[in-house]
Amino acid sequence: MTTARAYTATSSTEPLVATTIERRPVGPHDVLIDIAYSGICHSDISTVRGDWGPISYPLVPGHEIVGTVAEVGAQVSRHKVGDRVGVGCMVNSCRECVNCRAGLENYCLNGATYTYNSIDRDGTPTQGGYATQVVVVEDFVLSVPENIPFAAAAPLLCAGVTTYSPLAHWKASPGSKVAVVGLGGLGHLAVKFAHAMGAEVTVLSQTLRKKDDGLRLGADHYYATSDASTFTTLANTFDLIVNTISAPIDVQAYLSLLALDGTLVNLGAPAQPFPVSVFALMGNRRSFAASAIGSIAETQEMLNFCAEHAIAPETELITAAEINTAYERVLKSDVRYRFVIDAATI
């Protein structure tokens, strides 16, 4: 077993604390990674605080991990010691269901093994990336291109693929009109991706407070959703709307912004269900959908796309001692636009 330093949640209400955890021995298909940086995702906070249901403590969050390969198993062929690598939201899947065989492990019908708050194939609970080391089976380890800044690469392993996947699936491209709801940790990357894909990009934010940032990141237009006239001005406009916020929204209002055969895709995961009127969907033959992270192949595709188009998230580097403060700031939307923990400080 490998002992790693970590920051751990002991309950839904207490601050995370420094501790040590044990990682499994490196098996024949495993990769041991010295973690360099770990991003803070809103999902970490929602899970730790029990927003999505009860969990087992102690829990080490973190599924935006980048680091360097320290050791490989005897049968590992994809990675070698010294490689720059990343780990996202999944560390395994059943490999047998129709979705896994199609290379869509994120939609594993038997339930993917998540990086934390899941049960691994050996029956032990998984612990995430707020730690100094992690052991992951090679098939779920990504290669991080050299020209992506290492610290900035961490949020790409969740926020990056979560926004890239729906834009690619619903074919954001030259001639298409894409709206991004919310300019936060997910939204700012959605703007960068949609712009790089050639779409005409509009940000829909509650206020115009971040308008300058939105335009700098690649948006062509920026509207405040607190202004009722926005929904009149933009009615029947968009081919694709990507909703990145985790709070409830007026689904009917946003559906009204879709052009013929347009789609509203939800990426945020609020605890409350959304009421949806069938009549709002019938008009313009609209669709309301959701998208969950991305497959391993798609995540690697996204990383390569970032390298090709010089895309990286806007980040704020923090020490491990600042994690609890960072959680409170995320909940107040007081970050531009993603916190990244320097694992050397854990």
Side-chain angles (χ1 to χ4, degrees):
M1 304 288 283
T2 298
T3 299
R5 301 188 306 278
Y7 260 70
T8 304
T10 58
S11 78
S12 62
T13 56
E14 296 298 317
L16 277 69
V17 295
T19 187
T20 58
I21 58 173
E22 288 188 335
R23 299 296 195 184
R24 70 170 183 263
V26 177
H29 296 284
D30 285 337
V31 175
L32 172 64
I33 301 167
D34 286 335
I35 298 174
Y37 303 100
S38 184
I40 291 180
C41 179
H42 197 288
S43 298
D44 300 344
I45 303 171
S46 295
T47 302
V48 164
R49 300 195 172 184
D51 294 345
W52 296 336
I55 65 171
S56 297
Y57 300 97
L59 175 71
V60 178
H63 56 206
E64 298 179 341
I65 304 165
V66 294
T68 304
V69 175
E71 183 182 345
V72 296
Q75 298 181 42
V76 169
S77 60
R78 298 186 179 189
H79 309 283
K80 64 182 186 301
V81 172
D83 283 355
R84 287 165 40 118
V85 294
V87 178
C89 300
M90 303 175 291
V91 292
N92 220 323
S93 70
C94 80
R95 320 287 189 98
E96 298 172 351
C97 72
V98 63
N99 289 351
C100 283
R101 293 199 306 271
L104 295 168
E105 308 90 348
N106 50 318
Y107 297 115
C108 176
L109 296 176
N110 294 308
T113 302
Y114 295 106
T115 308
Y116 62 84
N117 195 40
S118 196
I119 300 299
D120 214 338
R121 307 287 283 181
D122 61 2
T124 60
T126 57
Q127 302 289 3
Y130 296 6
T132 53
Q133 290 185 314
V134 66
V135 178
V136 181
V137 66
E138 67 168 325
D139 293 344
F140 286 77
V141 177
L142 289 305
S143 296
V144 178
E146 290 288 340
N147 61 334
I148 299 177
F150 213 17
L156 295 175
L157 277 302
C158 175
V161 72
T162 296
T163 49
Y164 177 88
S165 180
L167 290 167
H169 180 78
W170 276 278
K171 297 180 172 54
S173 58
S176 65
K177 294 184 177 181
V178 173
V180 176
V181 183
L183 192 72
L186 293 178
H188 88 287
L189 280 170
V191 169
K192 289 189 174 192
F193 284 134
H195 174 73
M197 292 172 179
E200 181 180 334
V201 185
T202 299
V203 173
L204 302 174
S205 187
Q206 188 173 11
T207 71
L208 299 179
R209 182 169 56 95
K210 298 179 184 177
K211 180 177 180 179
D212 289 345
D213 273 7
L215 298 178
R216 173 178 60 83
L217 295 169
D220 300 288
H221 316 285
Y222 202 107
Y223 287 84
T225 56
S226 57
D227 183 349
S229 68
T230 290
F231 291 90
T232 302
T233 301
L234 299 177
N236 308 307
T237 295
F238 300 108
D239 303 297
L240 177 64
I241 301 175
V242 178
N243 176 28
T244 70
I245 64 177
S246 294
I249 64 168
D250 184 344
V251 176
Q252 272 66 242
Y254 285 92
L255 286 172
S256 74
L257 304 181
L258 292 171
L260 181 66
D261 290 327
T263 302
L264 168 62
V265 183
N266 214 71
L267 305 185
Q272 309 91 331
F274 283 148
V276 180
S277 166
V278 172
F279 293 103
L281 297 172
M282 284 179 174
N284 262 350
R285 198 164 58 195
R286 303 175 176 111
S287 298
F288 181 37
S291 178
I293 55 174
S295 68
I296 295 301
E298 192 170 37
T299 306
Q300 189 64 60
E301 176 186 301
M302 176 274 305
L303 288 169
N304 296 342
F305 185 89
C306 289
E308 179 183 353
H309 295 274
I311 292 174
E314 313 269 311
T315 61
E316 182 176 334
L317 189 64
I318 63 170
T319 66
E322 299 173 279
I323 290 173
N324 293 300
T325 301
Y327 271 29
E328 298 304 322
R329 287 181 58 190
V330 168
L331 294 174
K332 295 176 182 177
S333 299
D334 179 26
V335 55
R336 295 197 178 180
Y337 283 92
R338 207 73 172 181
F339 285 117
V340 174
I341 304 161
D342 182 351
T345 66
I346 295 176

